[in-house]
Amino acid sequence: MQLDIGNALDSAATPGVSTDALDRLDDAVADAHETIAAGMSNARFGYASLNLPETTSATGIERAVDPIDADAVLTVGIGGSALGAKTITAALGEANHYLLDNVDPEATNRLLDALDFDSTAINVVSKSGTTAETLANFLVVRDAYEAAGVDWTERTVVTTGESGPLADLAAEEELPKLAVPDGVPGRFSALSAVGLVAPAILGYDIEAVLDGGREARDSLTGSIDDCPAYAYGALAVALERRGVHTNAFMPYAEALEPFAEWFAQLWAESLGKDGQGQTPARALGATDQHSQLQLYRAGRHDTMVTLVHPTARDDREIPAVDVEGLAYLGDATLGDLLDAEFEATEASLAAADKPSIRVELDRVDERGIGDLLVSFEAACIMAGELMGVETFTQPAVEWGKNAARGLLGGEETAEAAAVRNKHNYLIE
Ligand SMILES: O=P(O)(O)OC[C@H]1O[C@](O)(CO)[C@@H](O)[C@@H]1O
């Protein structure tokens, strides 16, 4: 990936980052890079994620899924156990990868009614093996396959930790089981079996995804001048310190829409700590120029926009039309129009004195998505180092889990009691 930070500097935006501040930032990045590099070489928790392009075996994953003959995949997982896989298959234009990453009964009924179980593999993913939503959904799916007389054991692969209910079930049913690598938090695990089983079942070149990841990893140097990943992380932190608390993440490719969702989890769950952290807002170019851009141009000066732009893509002619005011379209392609919209939106933000960062990649393909995923993981790790937060855990999510377990009749929890004693002020 390439970066253009021109519109995030104080010569172009308010707030913006001065070149002096960039120099000071570069010293901090050099120090942080040493910590990250040491963490990678010692495979320390979290930092080990950046080793995945090396440590993940594509052939091992392909061998494990080889017995499964399917032309669609249903991934049962949530958060980091779903978004990485979805990001990769969507980037490759796959339409037959479905997610069960919520517990909405109506949506689940609609999805299960629409699926052809015979040709749909079940990809169950949970690092902890205890996530209520994933286990509940898996029990529902298993039951639906059995009710339809379809053997789910021949179509299921499990990716989970060494122990836990899911690991036990996989052993009991002798299901193909892959491990969530040690030392890798869920949201940083896309380039492991967690994110690669689904594309492998669907026949994509997962080695090429790892190649893209290697490229990104090999680009990590101790200076923002030649390391786009670190430059992105450092700039985002510098802007947050200047009051930029929202990061609108806007890819100009439909195939990258799930990537914006993946980024939202990465950025929020990693950096939302100690009263710090930017709020990631998901947007899509050019669509959300017609819904959110008004705010990003004319709202408070507390938002940066990350514009992700593939420079090469398949295209489609816009038919010529002899109508006044429309002829200009007939001489272009949809890709030309999208590029013009992209350039215009970037310039419109600068004209409104609003910071943006341009992220460019050649093409949205196996290598491209591998590069993007590892680059933004490295950007996030760098941001966490500069912010001084614990990047790799997510303690704040446990309160809600304890409350839900208590409310559902699991062990009584203080959190569940707090829910029952909540303050009511009804307005009807
Ligand atoms: O893979 P698991 O353990 O099921 O967790 C799913 C997701 O839930 C979280 O733990 C948050 O609740 C995320 O960090 C994680 O990606």
Side-chain angles (χ1 to χ4, degrees), residues 185-228:
R187 58 187 173 278
F188 289 90
S189 65
L191 266 69
S192 74
V194 172
L196 297 172
V197 161
I201 292 172
L202 293 161
Y204 291 99
D205 181 357
I206 60 172
E207 186 62 45
V209 177
L210 293 171
D211 283 346
R214 283 184 203 109
E215 247 173 64
R217 199 220 37 220
D218 296 347
S219 77
L220 302 181
T221 69
S223 170
I224 49 182
D225 293 332
D226 55 15
C227 179

Side-chain angles (χ1 to χ4, degrees), residues 77-82 125-132 134 180 185-187 194 265 269 394 397-398 401:
I78 202 163
S81 288
V125 188
S126 176
K127 178 179 170 67
S128 63
T130 60
T131 301
T134 300
V180 176
R187 58 187 173 278
V194 172
Q265 180 195 11
E269 216 172 59
Q394 57 289 329
V397 303
E398 295 311 315
K401 294 183 185 180

Side-chain angles (χ1 to χ4, degrees), residues 104-115:
D104 174 337
E106 294 178 341
T108 299
N109 292 342
R110 280 192 295 271
L111 176 60
L112 294 180
D113 290 348
L115 285 179

Side-chain angles (χ1 to χ4, degrees), residues 23-40:
D23 294 344
R24 289 192 299 278
L25 211 48
D26 201 31
D27 301 339
V29 164
D31 296 345
H33 174 59
E34 280 179 25
T35 306
I36 296 171
M40 289 167 68

Side-chain angles (χ1 to χ4, degrees), residues 65-195:
V65 304
D66 193 40
I68 296 183
D69 175 22
D71 46 35
V73 174
L74 173 63
T75 290
V76 182
I78 202 163
S81 288
L83 294 172
K86 185 64 180 180
T87 293
I88 294 169
T89 56
L92 305 177
E94 177 58 49
N96 292 323
H97 182 199
Y98 306 93
L99 284 194
L100 209 43
D101 65 346
N102 197 357
V103 281
D104 174 337
E106 294 178 341
T108 299
N109 292 342
R110 280 192 295 271
L111 176 60
L112 294 180
D113 290 348
L115 285 179
D116 171 12
F117 294 160
D118 264 320
S119 61
T120 303
I122 306 169
N123 174 34
V124 194
V125 188
S126 176
K127 178 179 170 67
S128 63
T130 60
T131 301
E133 295 91 340
T134 300
L135 298 183
N137 278 332
F138 179 52
L139 296 174
V140 165
V141 169
R142 187 179 72 169
D143 198 50
Y145 272 60
E146 281 177 355
V150 177
D151 185 342
W152 60 274
T153 62
E154 284 177 357
R155 293 165 177 77
T156 298
V157 54
V158 172
T159 302
T160 191
E162 281 316 308
S163 61
L166 205 47
D168 300 343
L169 189 134
E172 211 178 285
E173 300 286 349
E174 296 174 1
L175 303 172
K177 175 179 165 293
L178 290 129
V180 176
D182 284 340
V184 176
R187 58 187 173 278
F188 289 90
S189 65
L191 266 69
S192 74
V194 172

Side-chain angles (χ1 to χ4, degrees), residues 47-395:
Y47 302 99
S49 315
L50 297 174
N51 295 335
L52 288 178
E54 265 339 304
T55 55
T56 296
S57 160
T59 41
I61 293 171
E62 285 154 355
R63 201 177 308 121
V65 304
D66 193 40
I68 296 183
D69 175 22
D71 46 35
V73 174
L74 173 63
T75 290
V76 182
I78 202 163
S81 288
L83 294 172
K86 185 64 180 180
T87 293
I88 294 169
T89 56
L92 305 177
E94 177 58 49
N96 292 323
H97 182 199
Y98 306 93
L99 284 194
L100 209 43
D101 65 346
N102 197 357
V103 281
D104 174 337
E106 294 178 341
T108 299
N109 292 342
R110 280 192 295 271
L111 176 60
L112 294 180
D113 290 348
L115 285 179
D116 171 12
F117 294 160
D118 264 320
S119 61
T120 303
I122 306 169
N123 174 34
V124 194
V125 188
S126 176
K127 178 179 170 67
S128 63
T130 60
T131 301
E133 295 91 340
T134 300
L135 298 183
N137 278 332
F138 179 52
L139 296 174
V140 165
V141 169
R142 187 179 72 169
D143 198 50
Y145 272 60
E146 281 177 355
V150 177
D151 185 342
W152 60 274
T153 62
E154 284 177 357
R155 293 165 177 77
T156 298
V157 54
V158 172
T159 302
T160 191
E162 281 316 308
S163 61
L166 205 47
D168 300 343
L169 189 134
E172 211 178 285
E173 300 286 349
E174 296 174 1
L175 303 172
K177 175 179 165 293
L178 290 129
V180 176
D182 284 340
V184 176
R187 58 187 173 278
F188 289 90
S189 65
L191 266 69
S192 74
V194 172
L196 297 172
V197 161
I201 292 172
L202 293 161
Y204 291 99
D205 181 357
I206 60 172
E207 186 62 45
V209 177
L210 293 171
D211 283 346
R214 283 184 203 109
E215 247 173 64
R217 199 220 37 220
D218 296 347
S219 77
L220 302 181
T221 69
S223 170
I224 49 182
D225 293 332
D226 55 15
C227 179
Y230 286 165
Y232 182 87
L235 255 290
V237 171
L239 287 168
E240 189 199 347
R241 288 175 179 158
R242 289 162 176 76
V244 175
H245 299 309
T246 297
N247 186 341
F249 200 82
M250 195 168 187
Y252 273 71
E254 293 265 343
L256 289 179
E257 197 168 8
F259 175 56
E261 229 179 308
W262 173 88
F263 173 82
Q265 180 195 11
L266 183 79
W267 218 241
E269 216 172 59
S270 303
L271 307 176
K273 295 176 178 142
D274 313 334
Q276 302 180 76
Q278 285 182 322
T279 302
R282 287 144 47 193
L284 179 67
T287 309
D288 291 316
Q289 291 168 205
H290 304 272
S291 60
Q292 300 174 29
L293 188 59
Q294 169 67 33
L295 169 70
Y296 301 146
R297 287 203 74 223
R300 282 193 296 272
H301 281 255
D302 67 353
T303 299
M304 63 179 279
V305 182
T306 300
L307 301 158
V308 183
H309 179 238
T311 53
R313 64 172 80 82
D314 296 343
D315 211 337
R316 191 178 184 104
E317 296 288 326
I318 300 174
V321 60
D322 187 13
V323 175
E324 194 169 333
L326 283 187
Y328 77 101
L329 285 176
D331 303 334
T333 67
L334 287 181
D336 296 337
L337 179 55
L338 188 60
D339 287 342
E341 302 267 14
F342 166 76
E343 299 288 350
T345 297
E346 184 188 47
S348 77
L349 290 163
D353 212 15
K354 294 296 176 74
S356 69
I357 295 179
R358 174 192 288 218
V359 176
E360 289 203 321
L361 68 158
D362 301 338
R363 200 177 179 90
V364 184
D365 57 14
E366 283 88 343
R367 295 179 80 89
I369 197 63
D371 178 1
L372 277 182
L373 287 165
V374 173
S375 292
F376 277 93
E377 287 171 2
C380 182
I381 294 172
M382 175 51 72
E385 294 298 319
L386 298 176
M387 293 165 68
V389 299
E390 177 27 73
T391 305
F392 303 116
T393 57
Q394 57 289 329

